[in-house]
Amino acid sequence: MPLTRRQLIARIGVVGGIQAATAAMGLFGAMSPARGSQETYAALKPANVGQGATVTVVGAGIGGLVAAYELRKAGFTVVLLEARERVGGRNWTVRRGDRVEFTDGSVQVADFDEGLYLNAGPGRLPSHHQLVLGYCRELGVELEVLVNTSRNALVRPDLDQPPMQIRQAVNDSRGHLAELLAKAVNRQALDQELSLDDQRNLLGFLRTWGDLSEKLEYLGSARSGYKVWPGAGDQLAQRNDPLPLRTLLNPALGTALMIDEYPEFSPTMFQPVGGMDRIPQAFQRHLQGALQLGAEVRSIRNFEDRVEIGYQQHGQQRRISSDHAVIALPLPLLAKIDNNFTAPARQAIAAVQFGFANKVAWQSRRFWETDYQIYGGLSFINQASSGLWYPSGGFNQPEGILVAAYNNGEVARQFGDKTVAEQIALSRQAVELLHPGHGLDLRKPLVVDWGRIPYSLGPWISRPLPDSDYGLLNQPQGRVHLTSDGLAHSGMGIWQETAVAAARRVVRNLSERAQATATA
């Protein structure tokens, strides 16, 4: 019976769930999202449209910093209130001596060696995040390449089986799949949809793609690595034996096989030299005189002609009045602040919930480089700690910071329910399961559970807002404008880029409002 393209794809689907694997490995491509306009970085016009009108910005995370910075450039008089004694919000780099306080009153003090640090929040800048990268250029934040994928990294989907290199998991999966497809194609006759030339070309492609033999068999591949690498003298190359297809069909392998197919997790990205907080620190240098730290906002009152904000600063109750306000807080935090917004706005804000994320970091000798040739990237394990994140910098230095629990979503919720001591123990166990014997190299652990960090209470919102709420909260609430990473569309989670986009939109809205008032 002739084989059509549709039948070919259907045939793949019945072979042990391989259709999902082909999508993961990009054989047939993926559905493209609907295309729309995208904001590219360009400096907002610095015209003096604000003419001294006053704006209070609440929250010195990335969104608040961008809003304050651009509003000052546009001629507004700005005061920026931040509850913490630092800027950056969830952009937080932890160094020696920094305190990690939880809402239950427990405190950890980072004891890393000087020069070592943990990016407790965001740690990567994808190349298509042109707004954040644009501000790095404008503010002189030096960047370096971040290695997000290492084929030498490990994955252990089945704890009853030893870890495997990601390179072998990827290439053995591809080889087995190519063999199945090639045999299916080779058994079929010609038809009008898949011509003889098409079949020949497809077989040729599959032989190359899967590194198949002349008989269309997958017998292993140099792409999957070596037990013994080729060398001098009698050091002959010995390829890894191919893993069984059954092993590679484990659903727990999915993340390791497909993570770098998403643009947000590209194999190479960027990071600021010296820590992600170099970005908020650069904004801070430009906001001297406007920034007030330790200023915890307690109330927001919207009037026809002004906004009044009550806050506590270093034990003193204070109040500030301004022509406008920009509230640059995550919406679940805003829900906890007394305000006189409309009932629909308050209901929309209250409905937003945080997601979950946590990290456990260790200082260690860099055994992953010396013993495993892993330079950056991620390893994955089907265990409570979920993933290991290797440092992408300081290569060949004696010590480094290994993130040995890297969780989000439901896994992070369950992990965060455990005690700090239990999280540390599970994290060490994960390292031992992937790198036997090296759990003993780990020192100076530090736990960051974002659900328990004061003034954060979570890493990002758990799901996008409904369209009606999204539209409502993107409109001015009287003289108050809201900006949040939840008020810009995002494809893969919430990133700094969405906070920047939302803040720039508010700046444009305020500038247009000021221009309209001036010409009225």
Side-chain angles (χ1 to χ4, degrees), residues 301-334:
R301 285 292 177 270
N302 211 346
F303 298 101
E304 186 175 342
D305 61 342
R306 68 192 187 284
V307 180
E308 289 190 358
I309 292 177
Y311 63 101
Q312 179 175 294
Q313 187 176 37
H314 305 141
Q316 300 294 316
Q317 299 299 321
R318 303 181 185 275
R319 186 168 297 277
I320 185 171
S321 179
S322 56
D323 298 317
H324 308 277
V326 174
I327 310 302
L329 297 176
L331 296 175
L333 291 185
L334 177 57

Side-chain angles (χ1 to χ4, degrees), residues 73-86:
K73 286 167 60 177
F76 292 88
T77 300
V78 175
V79 173
L80 174 57
L81 304 178
E82 167 55 46
R84 295 180 172 94
E85 295 295 340
R86 63 170 179 83

Side-chain angles (χ1 to χ4, degrees), residues 266-280:
S266 300
T268 54
M269 294 194 274
F270 300 100
Q271 63 184 3
V273 175
M276 188 61 74
D277 65 350
R278 296 299 191 239
I279 298 175

Side-chain angles (χ1 to χ4, degrees), residues 110-128:
D111 192 31
F112 305 143
D113 288 358
E114 290 291 342
L116 300 181
Y117 59 84
L118 164 69
N119 286 323
R124 299 171 281 203
L125 299 174
S127 60
H128 65 283

Side-chain angles (χ1 to χ4, degrees), residues 9 30 33 44 69 73 77 94 113 136 191 201 230 232 247 274 276 278 294 307 316 336 343 381 401 411 455 460:
I9 295 172
L44 296 177
Y69 174 71
K73 286 167 60 177
T77 300
V94 180
D113 288 358
C136 288
D191 82 343
N201 290 338
T247 297
M276 188 61 74
R278 296 299 191 239
V307 180
Q316 300 294 316
K336 299 178 181 296
I381 185 167
I401 300 299
V411 172
Y455 305 120
W460 46 71

